[in-house]
Amino acid sequence: MRKVYNVYLPDGYDTGKLRYPVMYLLHGNGGDENEWVAKGEAQKTIDKLIADGLMPPAVIVLPSAITTWYVDRKEPMETAFLKDLMPEVEGKFRIMNDRMGRVIGGVSMGG
């Protein structure tokens, strides 16, 4: 798997010690790790959702999956997501690494 991804860190992440919930936000067919940033204005949207109390501060991971449909086919994307990407993210960022601290969402191919 191409381990290419963007990460949104909430305000206070750099100076705090809290562990945050993590959201994996998957792009659609033909998109990449920048789709949510460019088309969905991810930073502005997430900042507003947090400020309005509609979601807690969280680490958001925006992975690139090219056109794999996030399943094991020519490239084993599902396996790579679970066995490579998630452990890497959990090792690099202060996130909750249990089921209650993870959520996944997406659009089109990633939905």
Side-chain angles (χ1 to χ4, degrees):
M1 171 186 150
R2 285 177 17 163
K3 284 197 279 185
V4 177
Y5 55 91
N6 287 323
V7 177
Y8 166 92
L9 299 174
D11 285 342
Y13 179 90
D14 292 333
T15 58
K17 297 199 184 313
L18 292 175
R19 294 188 95 56
Y20 292 90
V22 61
M23 172 186 277
Y24 293 91
L25 198 52
L26 309 181
H27 65 76
N29 189 18
D32 61 18
E33 72 280 4
N34 297 310
E35 181 174 31
W36 286 102
V37 176
K39 294 179 183 175
E41 297 182 323
Q43 183 165 350
K44 180 175 139 184
T45 302
I46 296 164
D47 285 345
K48 180 158 177 39
L49 289 169
I50 292 170
D52 291 348
L54 298 173
M55 72 174 279
V59 171
I60 314 294
V61 179
L62 311 158
S64 178
I66 44 180
T67 305
T68 63
W69 300 89
Y70 300 96
V71 297
D72 288 347
R73 289 166 65 169
K74 181 179 177 185
E75 185 173 350
M77 186 62 193
E78 180 179 359
T79 298
F81 188 94
L82 297 170
K83 305 265 186 203
D84 297 330
L85 178 66
M86 287 177 61
E88 179 175 314
V89 169
E90 289 172 1
K92 283 186 174 182
F93 301 98
R94 289 190 328 272
I95 60 171
M96 301 165 80
N97 60 357
D98 62 13
R99 184 177 184 162
M100 296 303 294
R102 293 185 194 113
V103 66
I104 191 166
V107 65
S108 187
M109 175 183 88

